[in-house]
Amino acid sequence: MRAKILFLLALLPFIQSNSSFAEETEPNQTPKPIVVRSSGHTQPRSLLPNCYYYDGRVYIECGIDETSVSGTVTRSSDGYQWSNSANGNTLQIEVPTEPGTYTLNFTLSSGCSYVGEYVLIGSNL
């Protein structure tokens, strides 16, 4: 029994080392909000969708009454686009982490369309 306890105590520094390594490798970012506005002539619903960029993805979160979302992110410098769609009221679009200006366009199942813009700056991603 004593040998087992000594063995576990000997492994303790390695276990702590692994957990601190995991903390160092996780991104230290906060979500970057994307302010959106209606892009159509119809009045949007009273609650705007919640949109933000985080860790290489754009997130769109809508009200529970929406049954689908489709969206496209366009990089302003070269017009390159990333798109995705989802059945449900949330959507994730994988996008680059390169600095630049990006435009988000998306449409909900209700027919409302929105547009927003976000900027990624070098080390402040």
Side-chain angles (χ1 to χ4, degrees):
M1 179 72 171
R2 183 176 172 190
K4 288 182 182 180
I5 292 173
L6 289 174
F7 179 73
L8 289 175
L9 289 174
L11 290 178
L12 189 58
F14 295 107
I15 293 170
Q16 290 175 342
S17 174
N18 286 342
S19 66
S20 65
F21 176 75
E23 290 173 10
E24 291 174 12
T25 58
E26 291 180 12
N28 188 14
Q29 301 177 357
T30 57
K32 179 183 280 292
I34 302 173
V35 178
V36 295
R37 66 185 190 296
S38 175
S39 64
H41 295 290
T42 58
Q43 288 292 333
R45 295 171 185 252
S46 58
L47 296 176
L48 289 174
N50 182 32
C51 303
Y52 57 95
Y53 167 88
Y54 180 72
D55 195 26
R57 291 182 179 89
V58 167
Y59 295 86
I60 302 169
E61 300 170 347
C62 307
I64 58 173
D65 54 339
E66 297 296 340
T67 58
S68 66
V69 184
S70 61
T72 300
V73 173
T74 305
R75 184 169 43 208
S76 298
S77 63
D78 58 8
Y80 200 82
Q81 297 183 328
W82 297 265
S83 299
N84 200 3
S85 61
N87 291 328
N89 63 343
T90 60
L91 176 64
Q92 292 181 31
I93 305 172
E94 289 197 38
V95 296
T97 58
E98 300 164 3
T101 302
Y102 298 84
T103 303
L104 168 65
N105 290 287
F106 63 97
T107 303
L108 309 179
S109 57
S110 62
C112 292
S113 295
Y114 297 88
V115 64
E117 184 177 270
Y118 66 99
V119 177
L120 297 181
I121 302 171
S123 62
N124 296 335
L125 301 178

